[in-house]
Amino acid sequence: MGISKTEIFTDQQNEISLFAKVFGHPARVAILQHLFKIDACICGDLVAEIGLSQPTISQHLKELKHLGLIKGSVEGTRVCYCIDAKNWSKMKLIILEFLNQDISIKEECC
Amino acid sequence: MGISKTEIFTDQQNEISLFAKVFGHPARVAILQHLFKIDACICGDLVAEIGLSQPTISQHLKELKHLGLIKGSVEGTRVCYCIDAKNWSKMKLIILEFLNQDISIKEECC
DNA sequence: TTATTTCATTGCAATATTACGATGAATCTA
DNA sequence: TAGATTCATCGTAATATTGCAATGAAATAA
């Protein structure tokens, strides 16, 4: 029905999928990569950098901010975005634990 | 328009987002965790293990198989699924590189 | 005050995703 | 062969996502 049955899954499973979902769009991947690359606050030129309209970029930024992965600070008429390093680290721990499940696997089965 | 403009992003950005998207649903996270946990092939009792209908599980399995993360082998009337270890490792490298972007960051900016 | 700039929000259209009942295909069992 | 079992696929309904034009809100500049 287009709606996920989150209630039948564990909090951990839902948390993993929420983080993964935000990385599930190339625009958000590109935004994060650009914020890391310039290694400083960037004000708004993400719209020029990535080829999407201003409202669309704003919407993607909103989702990233909602998960706490980026921070935005108002500077005059501009808004300055950057990575939230602490929350990024927390997210990394959660995703890494999921990705590293394979280290306990003994052998191929099929 | 409900459709991502993949053509304006790099292959790497699109690949990251494709892998992330498949992890963007708790059912697929649960399926993968279960396949890792039992450390052997499991046939169909994923439907019993996870609380979704058989067609729905089958659909999620199809997406995981399409990305190469799991393999399915027919055994009589049953189908045996397991993790594709090699492709899982390849996926890990791609996602890890993305997650570890923060190690080159010098300091907080905002 | 009146533009101008910058970004967020609203509203909408197009497409994608999620879920499941019904059905089909393949194999096994009696 | 005739049922039973297992899983995939089809069809459909409900909801989510993506994208942008239009508009709004807030600060700056003239």
Side-chain angles (χ1 to χ4, degrees), chain B residues 15-82:
Chain B
E15 194 171 27
I16 291 169
S17 67
L18 282 179
F19 280 126
K21 191 188 283 185
V22 89
F23 298 142
H25 194 289
R28 292 188 290 266
V29 169
I31 288 172
L32 291 166
Q33 285 180 332
H34 193 249
L35 288 180
F36 274 119
K37 187 176 119 193
I38 58 172
D39 203 32
C41 289
I42 176 159
C43 307
D45 21 41
L46 282 164
V47 176
E49 188 71 21
I50 304 171
L52 293 170
S53 73
Q54 181 267 321
T56 303
I57 296 293
S58 190
Q59 198 170 315
H60 286 306
L61 287 169
K62 188 180 179 183
E63 293 180 58
L64 289 167
K65 205 162 70 176
H66 185 252
L67 270 192
L69 296 176
I70 64 174
K71 297 186 285 191
S73 55
V74 180
E75 295 188 358
T77 62
R78 303 177 160 224
V79 178
C80 181
Y81 283 103
C82 68

Side-chain angles (χ1 to χ4, degrees), chain A residues 35 40-43 61 65 70-73 79-83, chain B residues 110:
Chain A
L35 288 181
C41 289
I42 178 155
C43 305
L61 287 169
K65 205 163 70 176
I70 64 174
K71 297 185 284 191
S73 55
V79 177
C80 181
Y81 285 103
C82 66
I83 303 289
Chain B
C110 320

Side-chain angles (χ1 to χ4, degrees), chain A:
Chain A
M1 310 175 182
I3 187 171
S4 301
K5 286 192 162 180
T6 56
E7 69 277 6
I8 66 173
F9 302 104
T10 67
D11 288 348
Q12 188 219 20
Q13 287 163 343
N14 283 316
E15 193 171 27
I16 290 169
S17 66
L18 281 179
F19 279 126
K21 191 188 284 185
V22 90
F23 299 142
H25 193 289
R28 291 188 291 264
V29 170
I31 288 173
L32 290 167
Q33 285 180 332
H34 193 247
L35 288 181
F36 273 119
K37 187 176 122 197
I38 57 170
D39 201 32
C41 289
I42 178 155
C43 305
D45 23 42
L46 283 163
V47 175
E49 188 70 23
I50 304 171
L52 293 170
S53 73
Q54 181 267 320
T56 302
I57 295 292
S58 189
Q59 198 171 315
H60 286 307
L61 287 169
K62 189 179 177 181
E63 293 179 57
L64 290 168
K65 205 163 70 176
H66 184 252
L67 271 192
L69 295 176
I70 64 174
K71 297 185 284 191
S73 55
V74 179
E75 295 189 358
T77 62
R78 304 182 156 222
V79 177
C80 181
Y81 285 103
C82 66
I83 303 289
D84 187 320
K86 277 185 187 165
N87 285 338
W88 183 269
S89 295
K90 286 184 191 171
M91 175 278 295
K92 263 177 72 173
L93 288 179
I94 292 166
I95 301 296
L96 284 180
E97 188 185 353
F98 173 72
L99 293 178
N100 285 328
Q101 283 176 102
D102 58 344
I103 58 175
S104 60
I105 288 294
K106 288 90 189 172
E107 53 190 278
E108 289 274 330
C109 44
C110 319

